Structure formats: C-alpha cells, structure tokens
Amino acid sequence: MEIASQDLLRQDPTALASRRRWRIPPPVTRDPEAPGPEGLSVLPEHPGEEGLLLWLTLRNVLLWSRVPPSSRKGLFTPEAMERRLALILEMHLPPRLHEPLTLLAGLLDRPHRIDPALVGLSCLRIHDWARDEGFPTTSLEFLQAASVACPGDGRYALAVGRELRERNLHGRAEAWFLRAIGLTRQARDWEAYTLTYITYGNMMVRRGNYPLARRLLTKAVRRAVRQGLKEPRARAHHDLFVVEAECGDDTAAQRHAQQALYSYPTGHPSLPALAHDVAYFWVERGRFAQALPVLERAMPWVPDTQASACFGALARTRGALGDRQGFSEAVRLLRGQENTYGVARAWGDVAHGALSLGLDREGEIAATQSLEMARLAGEGKVSLQAESLVAAARALRSSHEETQSSPHPPHVAEWDAEDVQMAETLAGEFVSSLASVL
C-alpha cells in the first residue's frame, strides 16, 4: 500500500525530495557513429605538431575527467609532464595557447591534486582562442572538455548546448540542455536554470515544435517571476510572443509582447529587436499605422542581423500607406545589404509594397529576387511565400495589360476592438521606450 506524501514526510523529510530528484543525463561528447578515437576531429583543423598537441591535451583531460578522484593518483607516467613541457617549448605557439596548454600539462604530474576549476578554465581559454581563430570543431571539443572537467557546473553544460544548437546539432544540444537543467536545479542556480529553459525553448521555436517551446518557455517565465529575474523573464515573454504569433493567437501574442516590454529595464539594448519583431507582426496583419512609427524609431538601433528585415518591413509598410517616396528610400537601403540573413524575406516584403502601390512589374521583380535568394539559402517557408507572390504579381500584370495598373490593397486581419486598442497602446509605449535605448 502506497504511503501518502504527508505521512512519508513525517517519517522521513528527505524521502519525498529524494523521489523527486532529477536524473542528470550524462554528457554526450560525440556522435556515436563518428569514426576513430574521441577528439580526432581536431586534427584536420590543425595539421602538424600543433594539432597533435591539442589532441593529446584534449584526450588527457577527457581521461582524467572520467576517472574517480580517488583513483587519479598515478594515472599518467612520471615523465609525461616533462615530455609535454618540452614539446610546448619547442613549438612556436600563439601566446593565447601557451599558458593554458602549460597549465594543463600540470595535469600529467599531479592528476589527484589539480583543481578541476583550473582545468575547466584552461579548456575554456583554448575554446575562446579556437572560436576567435575560426576553428569550430576545436572550439566545441574544448568547451565540452571544460564541462566534463567541472561536472557540477551547469553553466558549462548550457554553453555546450547553446553551441551545439548554433551548429544545428539539435539531438546532442537537447541532451546537454537536459543535463544543464538538472545541474542548475541541483545547484539552485536559478538564473542559469531559467536561461537554459529559454535557450532550449528557443531551439524548439526554430524547429517549429511550438507546443514544446510553449511549455519550456512558460516554465522559464514562472521561475523568473519566482526569483525576480527581470531580463530572463523579458526574453522568455519575447519568445512566447513568437510562439503565439506563429500559432495564430494574436491576442496572446500581444500580451506576451507587452509583458516583455514591461520586463526589460529602461533603455535595455534588446528593446529594438523586440520592437522590430512586434512591428513586423503588425505588418503581416495589415496594421501598418501601428507598425510604421515603431519601425522608424527602431531602425537606427536594430542589430545588423535585423537590418535587412527592418528595411523590407519599412518598404512594405510605406507601400501599403501609399508613400511612394518612402517606399523607394527603403528599397534603396535594402539594396545595400547584399545577401545577408533575412534579405530573401525582405525582398518579399518589397514585392508586397510594390503591389500595394500598383507597381506590378516591380513587384514581380522583387518577388522573383526573393524566391531566388530563398532557394539559395535553403529557406523553405520563404520560398513558398515568394512563389505565391510571383504568381500573384503575374496575375495582376495580366489583368492590367489592357488597363492602367491600380493599387492592390493589402490584407488586414480581423481584430476586435480590444486587440486594436492593445496594438495602439503598445505602439506608443515602444516609441517612448526606444527613446531611452542605451
């Protein structure tokens, strides 16, 4: 017969906590199907003795990390450190590599005494060097080594998961995020715990798994509220805004946008990105009067990664509002962006703006450019949208061949008065908040 929770606690206060204890997944440091010894992928990035030295150091750290502390004495031969230091002295290493590799050589002499935090920090310095010099595999391998050297530090696990996510290694990234959640919860590092849920949820947004993303980000919001973490709370609401917008719940999307705006401190540098995303949300729903002032105020502050999207949204908005001169100016700015991220979708927005102004030929050209760029970048969703735009532009041109081209009115989403009022209020608040961006 199962004992009730209250009775169990009375008998043993730690029993229920024990039953709820997280099972922390082990670190997944390589693809199970990868050929050869672990860490071998470092060698192609560093042909010659430098690569061999990095690989040997990496293997030493991984072996040391996997041996219990009580069994580390005598792990390496007595002469191993002298040979390693001689090899380091013979080589003309970059200054940023010399010190961490020398510190890690001490691992060979006193494996039972060296501080794990020193091992982790040395690996992290090699990771930083490799990242800055353009060696992505070496960077990832030493970041993973830092994490296994400090197995109780959830922030290292979060960093590994984030890097794997950026390299689109989603399966391994998920395993590291789950590990980070367990470790940060165990250490009661609530900021890192919340950030892990946000980063994990953001990966699910990118992959289109919106139900899971919503659950993860909602957990992040709850923990951020409980611990008074304003910036993580704002980031989680921002991502939940994206989730609800993609799922078609415009009311919930605007509420999350409002909560994100209220949670960011005054003048926070992330406000322009949030403002742009919300303004684009309004653009897609035909709410151009709310979008225009926010886009114009955000434009000087948006990060370079969002510049193309901002110029495209401006062109679409000004075209919808009948501003030919403003439309042309936004297109001119977009042409200077070349083939940066988001430029394919931006040219689709230009096509929308051109068609709103009755410029059927220009709309077809912009839509075709969007389609070509999207196919080249492998952006399937943008490709489908561009195909529809090309077809619409050609149909409009055919219908206007015998007559003068006329503006094509944009679609406007049907909202109730409450949603419209919320959009107008939010637009005013964004314009005021952007005036104080740092």
Side-chain angles (χ1 to χ4, degrees):
M1 181 176 178
E2 186 175 352
I3 303 175
S5 297
Q6 293 298 324
D7 294 336
L8 183 64
L9 281 171
R10 279 193 291 270
Q11 294 177 36
D12 181 359
T14 65
L16 189 57
S18 176
R19 289 173 63 188
R20 290 178 177 173
R21 186 173 294 126
W22 282 73
R23 180 186 178 276
I24 299 174
V28 183
T29 55
R30 65 180 305 197
D31 186 334
E33 298 181 359
E38 191 169 17
L40 197 64
S41 55
V42 166
L43 296 178
E45 291 186 342
H46 309 274
E49 289 187 334
E50 182 181 283
L52 179 61
L53 176 59
L54 287 168
W55 180 62
L56 289 173
T57 302
L58 178 66
R59 295 277 292 172
N60 294 151
V61 172
L62 294 176
L63 173 62
W64 172 86
S65 300
R66 288 162 183 163
V67 172
S70 59
S71 304
R72 287 173 179 166
K73 188 175 183 179
L75 185 61
F76 302 104
T77 60
E79 305 83 11
M81 186 181 77
E82 286 75 10
R83 290 198 301 267
R84 182 63 52 80
L85 289 175
L87 180 60
I88 291 172
L89 290 173
E90 289 173 5
M91 299 174 62
H92 299 288
L93 293 170
R96 291 177 65 188
L97 269 185
H98 191 276
E99 185 177 357
L101 286 173
T102 301
L103 288 171
L104 289 174
L107 182 77
L108 304 173
D109 182 53
R110 48 185 188 281
H112 58 300
R113 292 182 179 177
I114 194 166
D115 185 357
L118 178 62
V119 177
L121 182 59
S122 299
C123 289
L124 188 63
R125 291 173 65 182
I126 298 173
H127 152 76
D128 290 340
W129 167 82
R131 179 199 59 207
D132 295 344
E133 295 297 320
F135 301 123
T137 301
T138 306
S139 170
L140 175 61
E141 290 287 355
F142 276 93
L143 184 58
Q144 290 182 151
S147 184
V148 297
C150 302
D153 193 331
R155 289 182 180 254
Y156 276 130
L158 170 58
V160 175
R162 185 181 286 120
E163 184 149 330
L164 288 164
R165 180 198 64 178
E166 295 307 313
R167 298 184 64 180
N168 294 321
L169 299 172
H170 296 136
R172 282 172 60 191
E174 189 167 12
W176 279 93
F177 287 141
L178 292 172
R179 178 173 173 80
I181 288 169
L183 290 173
T184 54
R185 183 182 180 88
Q186 191 175 68
R188 303 184 72 80
D189 184 352
W190 299 122
E191 182 181 37
Y193 177 81
T194 305
L195 291 174
T196 302
Y197 269 114
I198 292 170
T199 312
Y200 185 9
N202 183 266
M203 184 177 77
M204 291 298 107
V205 172
R206 294 186 188 186
R207 298 184 68 183
N209 188 343
Y210 299 120
L212 178 55
R214 184 186 287 113
R215 290 198 297 273
L216 295 169
L217 293 166
T218 300
K219 286 184 178 182
V221 167
R222 288 172 180 165
R223 178 55 64 177
V225 170
R226 194 174 301 165
Q227 304 301 139
L229 303 170
K230 288 189 175 181
E231 187 171 341
R233 179 182 178 182
R235 289 177 56 185
H237 276 300
H238 188 165
D239 284 343
L240 280 166
F241 156 75
V242 174
V243 169
E244 300 303 346
E246 290 290 338
C247 293
D249 190 338
D250 293 355
T251 301
Q254 290 198 126
R255 285 174 181 163
H256 282 298
Q258 190 174 53
Q259 288 299 317
L261 175 60
Y262 293 167
S263 299
Y264 275 126
T266 302
H268 195 278
S270 293
L271 279 173
L274 173 64
H276 169 269
D277 288 349
V278 177
Y280 194 80
F281 163 81
W282 289 328
V283 166
E284 290 190 308
R285 284 145 182 83
R287 300 292 166 176
F288 303 105
Q290 288 79 36
L292 182 59
V294 177
L295 286 169
E296 290 179 333
R297 183 59 68 91
M299 187 170 63
W301 303 105
V302 295
D304 292 341
T305 53
Q306 283 187 304
S308 295
C310 190
F311 297 145
L314 273 172
R316 181 171 175 178
T317 300
R318 287 169 173 166
L321 295 174
D323 181 2
R324 288 195 176 220
Q325 184 177 349
F327 169 80
S328 299
E329 174 62 15
V331 173
R332 184 188 68 78
L333 292 170
L334 179 60
R335 286 199 178 100
Q337 295 298 301
E338 297 180 352
N339 197 15
T340 54
Y341 176 77
V343 74
R345 189 182 74 171
W347 279 107
D349 289 327
V350 170
H352 278 289
L355 295 178
S356 296
L357 290 168
L359 305 175
D360 301 343
R361 175 174 170 75
E362 289 83 348
E364 183 181 346
I365 292 171
T368 302
Q369 188 167 348
S370 173
L371 179 59
E372 291 172 354
M373 288 181 166
R375 285 176 173 171
L376 187 64
E379 299 179 42
K381 182 178 178 180
V382 178
S383 294
L384 290 173
Q385 293 171 340
E387 286 177 1
S388 299
L389 272 172
V390 171
R394 287 175 179 170
L396 285 170
R397 283 192 68 191
S398 298
S399 66
H400 293 152
E401 282 180 353
E402 302 298 329
T403 61
Q404 185 178 3
S405 293
S406 58
H408 179 65
H411 171 73
V412 179
E414 293 185 6
W415 281 1
D416 59 27
E418 184 179 351
D419 285 334
V420 175
Q421 181 59 48
M422 186 182 294
E424 292 175 353
T425 302
L426 262 178
E429 290 173 337
F430 271 116
V431 169
S432 299
S433 298
L434 290 169
S436 58
V437 171
L438 299 177

